[in-house]
Every structure is written in structure tokens, then in C-alpha cells.
Amino acid sequence: MRKALIGLLVLCAGTARAADMTVLRYVDQDPGAPYVTRILVTPAFMRMDSGEDTGDFTLLDRKKRVVINVMHDSRLAMVFVPGALPPKPASWKPGLVADRVERGGRHFTLTVKGVVCSEGIAARHALDAARAMAEQKSILAATQYRVWKASPPELQHDCDLANQVWNAGDTLTLGLPLEEREFTGRTRTFESETRQPANPELFRVPEGLAQVNAPS
């Protein structure tokens, strides 16, 4: 985590030059072997990938409110649009608490029925990047609900609804995640943040891919 805080301090001290793209790097674990996630954010787009310009990626068009999953080997671009969600049950009363200051941010917990669904540390920094992450979760919420509904009853956890559906963007209102741990064991750790000139080619769907509308 110290490395993450150093990255933030370097950013705050070195943003004098003009740049129009935020570049975030995280280490994610699902659980299993950890892997790098790169997130590129502009006012119009957000791209998530493994750090390779030519690899597979997920693209959020913030103006059109569309998420596109690009898979080069399959020659496929899966398109996700917002869908309708059922109303929340009357008993649905999750709790989001941001309390103590910790490691450069504020510690938070998101709980449902006494179970901690997500906890971590968020910093009031790079708020447009945090908003973009929340926008993507909002667009995908109906798809996530459909997957949850189709799962066997023993795999239908309330925390999935909290983290991915009805409260998907709640923790992101607190700021940029520096650390996050979900009830599934998935973790995310902030590595670095920089500002760079945007490359428009990184925010385009490659030509020749079949675009398929995903059910929402």
C-alpha cells in the first residue's frame, strides 16, 4: 500500500503539464494469480485492459452509455446497454459506512443483513475516474442481475446484488479505490496514477469485428 500512496503523491506533485487522459494501474486478484488492470479515462471514454494496447479490452462510451467488450481472437465485440431492474425488496437496506482515516483515504464497509459485502479504502482523488467506474457498473447492472437470477439458489448471494446491481456504484461515490476486498475473495490494490495525452485509437472498436448485442 505504501507504493500506492507514493504513486498518489508523485501524481499530485507532477500535474503541471497539460494532459487529457487519466491512467490508473491496479493489481487485481479473483482469487487466483494476481494480474494487472489498466484503466484509461477521458471525459468521453473509459477503457479497461491488461496494459497492452493491442490486447482485449472493455470500452465504456460515456456519452452513449454503452459498454463494449472487445475480444480479438473471437473477432467479436459484445455490446451492453442499460436495462430495466426489478424494484428493490422492501427489506433491502444495505449500509455504507465510511469512518476512520487510513493510509491516505477513508476506510469503508458496505454491508447487507450483517454481512460485509465490500470493504476497503477510498481517496477523494481522481473523482472523474471513480465516476466513470460507477457509470460502467450502472450500465452492466441489469446484465449482472440476469446472471444472478439464472444462478442456482445456493449461488444467489445478496452481496452480489449489493456489489453489482442495486448498490453497484455506492462505494465509488467516496472516491478512487486504493484498496478493495469483496466477500468473494476478490481484491483490488491501487498501484499508480498518471496523466497522459489521450490516444484516440485506444478508444475505438477495431474494424472487422462482429458486433453482437448482449441481453440486458
Side-chain angles (χ1 to χ4, degrees):
M1 190 60 198
R2 183 178 179 182
K3 182 179 179 181
L5 296 178
I6 292 173
L8 268 178
L9 292 172
V10 169
L11 170 76
C12 294
T15 54
R17 69 182 186 88
D20 52 6
M21 179 174 71
T22 300
V23 181
L24 305 172
R25 288 184 181 271
Y26 286 93
V27 173
D28 292 338
Q29 201 162 1
D30 276 331
Y35 57 92
V36 172
T37 297
R38 180 179 68 168
I39 304 176
L40 312 177
V41 184
T42 74
F45 297 100
M46 180 177 74
R47 170 177 166 141
M48 301 180 70
D49 58 37
S50 62
E52 300 293 333
D53 290 353
T54 58
D56 294 346
F57 64 94
T58 299
L59 179 67
L60 165 67
D61 187 320
R62 304 179 70 181
K63 295 181 179 179
K64 294 181 179 179
R65 286 186 52 76
V66 171
V67 175
I68 304 173
N69 190 24
V70 172
M71 296 169 282
H72 289 283
D73 289 345
S74 302
R75 305 298 297 165
L76 186 66
M78 189 71 72
V79 181
F80 298 84
V81 299
L85 289 172
K88 300 175 186 177
S91 61
W92 187 258
K93 296 179 180 178
L96 176 60
V97 176
D99 43 26
R100 63 184 182 275
V101 175
E102 184 177 343
R103 301 179 186 177
R106 189 170 293 274
H107 181 269
F108 67 83
T109 56
L110 175 64
T111 60
V112 173
K113 300 177 183 178
V115 177
V116 176
C117 297
S118 178
E119 66 175 327
I121 302 170
R124 299 294 295 175
H125 189 74
L127 296 183
D128 189 54
R131 280 191 294 269
M133 295 180 197
E135 289 163 15
Q136 177 163 301
K137 283 195 166 190
S138 175
I139 293 169
L140 296 176
T143 298
Q144 297 284 10
Y145 180 81
R146 180 180 56 81
V147 172
W148 179 87
K149 190 70 174 176
S151 301
E154 63 271 19
L155 298 180
Q156 292 181 344
H157 299 291
D158 286 340
C159 281
D160 286 322
L161 295 177
N163 292 336
Q164 306 297 337
V165 182
W166 287 322
N167 307 93
D170 286 11
T171 62
L172 290 163
T173 63
L174 302 174
L176 188 72
L178 300 183
E179 287 185 3
E180 190 168 16
R181 297 172 296 280
E182 295 184 357
F183 83 107
T184 59
R186 177 186 177 275
T187 64
R188 164 163 284 185
T189 304
F190 174 83
E191 284 287 292
S192 66
E193 177 185 2
T194 58
R195 293 281 292 174
Q196 299 176 15
N199 177 0
E201 292 298 323
L202 296 178
F203 302 99
R204 292 175 183 158
V205 177
E207 294 183 3
L209 300 189
Q211 295 200 22
V212 177
N213 293 327
S216 61

